[in-house]
């Protein structure tokens, strides 16, 4: 089997599940830049799996060491492993630049993993020029879905060399746990202090997750319904204080639960016992929590800015989309889904059916297709300037 190196900043639960699926087809070395994420409060995962794994920075985050030190450790690991293909996480981190430079100097083909869309952040001409040069160094790509493929094509990657399936979670884990918990719902509800029906949202408490507008919409919803559902909001972050103040101002303290960030082992109970899931982000490359909710059999209300919408949300079939800036629209969707007689079971079953096509097996298949295309060639044609860019960026 051809040795393949794949790089992530930090191994979260869904990274491990994806890697486990992909290791059935390749001699895989999974390289983790750091043992701790600067973004997510995941517990450190030491699962051995059926793949080799290396952590470049055992203690702390990847930002905790100098860029040259991090890149040096990465290059030594690649030299020792000698991969025939390197799978790189995008084009905007020291680990990515280090891998790109290493591959460019040795003529090793690269696969780009990307979930960027054209509108997920402001675009400037000079940055897009640099991205096009960097994207031109890749032989193929693995992306989440259509919105990511469209952007990568605009940056110069031929459409026939782009494959889908990057954004996957362990569907089986959430599906099976939901069924187990559903069979003893009363006990689980008492343990977690959860009501009979409720809306669930799960997000970091940061601006782009749009949680203040979610609370505004929820207040409108409560004012329009005779028997409104409570809201459970999982997560934590810098905006917690502001959100708690907003709850008081809107008179929602008795109706909104904020139990904090939950590890993956605790999540299934919240999904399994909810009535519907809401994801209100104004900016979201994909939205893996939507995968988790759908695998748990929930109807979903998803912002139309989320990258997962074309693949995962079938309007009026398993859920609805909404404009994340329009709180009135979201309140109306909430009232529709929670109304007596709404076919939530039917919508939830459709969610399970749709997301089943976007699990870790899809990741493994898309990755294999991208690797095979990269190996088959032809070699990437690039200029000296293109090849020099990652070398400059990794030391800047």
């Amino acid at each position: 089997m051809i040795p393949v190196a794949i790089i992530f900043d930090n191994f979260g639960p869904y990274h491990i599940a994806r890697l486990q699926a992909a290791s059935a087809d390749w001699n895989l070395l999974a390289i983790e830049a750091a043992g701790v994420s600067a973004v997510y409060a995941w517990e450190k995962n030491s699962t051995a799996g059926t793949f080799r794994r290396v952590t470049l920075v055992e203690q702390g985050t990847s930002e905790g060491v100098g860029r040259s030190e991090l890149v040096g450790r990465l290059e030594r690991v690649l030299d020792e492993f000698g991969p025939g293909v390197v799978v790189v996480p995008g084009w905007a981190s020291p680990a990515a630049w280090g891998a790109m430079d290493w591959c460019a100097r040795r003529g090793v083909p690269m696969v780009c993993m990307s979930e960027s869309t054209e509108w997920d952040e402001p675009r400037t001409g000079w940055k897009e020029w640099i991205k096009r040069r960097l994207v031109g160094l890749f032989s193929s790509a693995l992306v989440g879905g259509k919105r990511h493929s469209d952007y990568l094509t605009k940056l110069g990657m031929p459409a026939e060399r782009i494959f889908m399936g990057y954004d996957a979670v362990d569907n089986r884990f959430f599906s099976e746990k939901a069924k187990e918990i559903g069979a003893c719902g009363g006990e689980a509800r008492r343990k977690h202090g959860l009501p009979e029906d409720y809306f669930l949202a799960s997000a970091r408490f940061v601006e782009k997750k749009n949680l203040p507008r979610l609370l505004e919409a929820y207040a409108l919803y409560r004012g329009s319904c005779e028997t409104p559902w409570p809201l459970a909001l999982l997560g934590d972050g810098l905006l917690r204080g502001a959100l708690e103040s907003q709850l008081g101002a809107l008179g929602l303290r008795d109706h909104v639960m904020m139990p904090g960030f939950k590890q993956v082992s605790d999540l299934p109970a919240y999904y399994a016992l909810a009535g519907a899931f809401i994801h209100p982000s104004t900016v979201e490359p994909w939205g893996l929590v939507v995968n988790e909710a759908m695998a748990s059999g929930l109807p979903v209300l998803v912002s139309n800015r989320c990258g997962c919408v074309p693949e995962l949300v079938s309007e009026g079939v398993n859920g609805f989309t909404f404009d994340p800036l329009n709180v009135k629209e979201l309140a109306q969707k909430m009232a529709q889904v929670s109304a007596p007689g709404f076919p939530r079971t039917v919508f939830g079953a459709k969610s399970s059916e749709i997301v089943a096509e976007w699990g870790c097996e899809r990741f493994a298949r898309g990755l294999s297709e991208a690797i095979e295309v990269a190996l088959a060639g032809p070699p990437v044609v690039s200029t000296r300037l293109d090849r020099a860019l990652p070398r400059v960026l990794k030391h800047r």
Side-chain angles (χ1 to χ4, degrees), residues 48-383:
T50 56
F51 54 90
R52 290 176 57 190
R53 58 182 291 180
V54 171
T55 301
L56 302 179
V57 180
E58 289 285 355
Q59 303 296 324
T61 69
S62 56
E63 289 84 356
V65 299
R67 182 171 296 182
S68 294
E69 175 64 20
L70 178 70
V71 170
R73 294 180 189 182
L74 173 62
E75 291 179 343
R76 287 191 290 275
V77 169
L78 293 174
D79 283 336
E80 179 181 348
F81 184 61
V85 178
V86 178
V87 185
V88 181
W91 49 74
S93 69
W97 297 325
M100 294 168 76
D101 180 47
W102 186 91
C103 290
R105 287 187 282 114
R106 289 161 176 80
V108 175
M110 293 183 289
V111 174
C112 176
M113 294 185 294
S114 175
E115 56 176 4
S116 291
T117 65
E118 188 171 359
W119 58 83
D120 57 21
E121 64 178 60
R123 303 299 179 190
T124 57
W126 66 271
K127 287 184 178 180
E128 298 304 281
W129 181 88
I130 290 175
K131 287 179 191 175
R132 290 188 190 96
R133 306 278 74 75
L134 295 174
V135 167
L137 296 173
F138 289 100
S139 297
S140 61
L142 176 66
V143 301
K146 184 179 185 303
R147 292 178 175 180
H148 318 98
S149 177
D150 288 348
Y151 182 48
L152 205 54
T153 301
K154 187 171 183 178
L155 291 175
M157 175 67 71
E160 67 272 15
R161 305 183 78 82
I162 302 174
F163 302 90
M164 297 185 187
Y166 174 70
D167 288 291
V169 303
D170 188 346
N171 285 340
R172 182 178 301 175
F173 170 78
F174 287 99
S175 175
E176 292 181 353
K177 288 294 183 181
K179 291 175 183 175
E180 290 176 12
I181 292 165
C184 55
E187 179 183 340
R189 287 188 194 281
R190 287 191 294 273
K191 177 181 178 181
H192 296 279
L194 295 171
E196 188 64 30
D197 285 312
Y198 58 92
F199 288 106
L200 176 66
S202 179
R204 288 181 292 134
F205 290 4
V206 296
E207 184 177 354
K208 69 179 183 179
K209 300 301 182 179
N210 201 32
L211 300 178
R213 285 195 185 90
L214 170 60
L215 295 184
E216 289 178 39
Y218 180 67
L220 285 177
Y221 156 76
R222 286 197 67 85
S224 68
C225 290
E226 292 185 7
T227 55
W229 291 357
L231 170 66
L233 180 53
L234 303 181
D236 211 340
L238 295 175
L239 295 184
R240 172 174 279 277
L243 293 173
E244 290 175 341
S245 296
Q246 186 180 6
L247 289 180
L250 293 173
L252 296 177
R253 290 191 187 279
D254 294 334
H255 310 294
V256 178
M257 300 167 283
M258 294 202 305
F261 175 83
K262 298 297 177 182
Q263 298 294 338
V264 68
S265 58
D266 294 321
L267 286 175
Y270 290 90
Y271 285 121
L273 301 175
F277 184 78
I278 306 174
H279 199 50
S281 295
T282 55
V283 177
E284 191 69 77
W286 180 267
L288 287 170
V289 288
V290 179
N291 298 57
E292 295 173 351
M294 289 174 61
S296 303
L298 289 178
V300 293
L301 301 177
V302 184
S303 159
N304 59 23
R305 306 283 182 87
C306 294
C308 67
V309 162
E311 285 70 36
L312 297 188
V313 185
S314 182
E315 198 75 22
V317 175
N318 75 308
F320 301 97
T321 59
F322 59 90
D323 177 353
L325 304 182
N326 189 334
V327 296
K328 185 177 180 180
E329 181 186 10
L330 176 53
Q332 291 170 343
K333 300 291 187 186
M334 296 169 76
Q336 182 177 356
V337 170
S338 64
F342 183 84
R344 286 189 285 128
T345 301
V346 175
F347 271 54
K350 278 295 182 182
S351 280
S352 297
E353 181 181 321
I354 292 169
V355 82
E357 298 297 319
W358 295 90
C360 292
E361 299 80 8
R362 182 67 177 266
F363 170 85
R365 184 167 73 250
L367 180 63
S368 288
E369 291 169 337
I371 291 171
E372 288 165 0
V373 164
L375 288 170
V380 166
V381 177
S382 58
T383 68

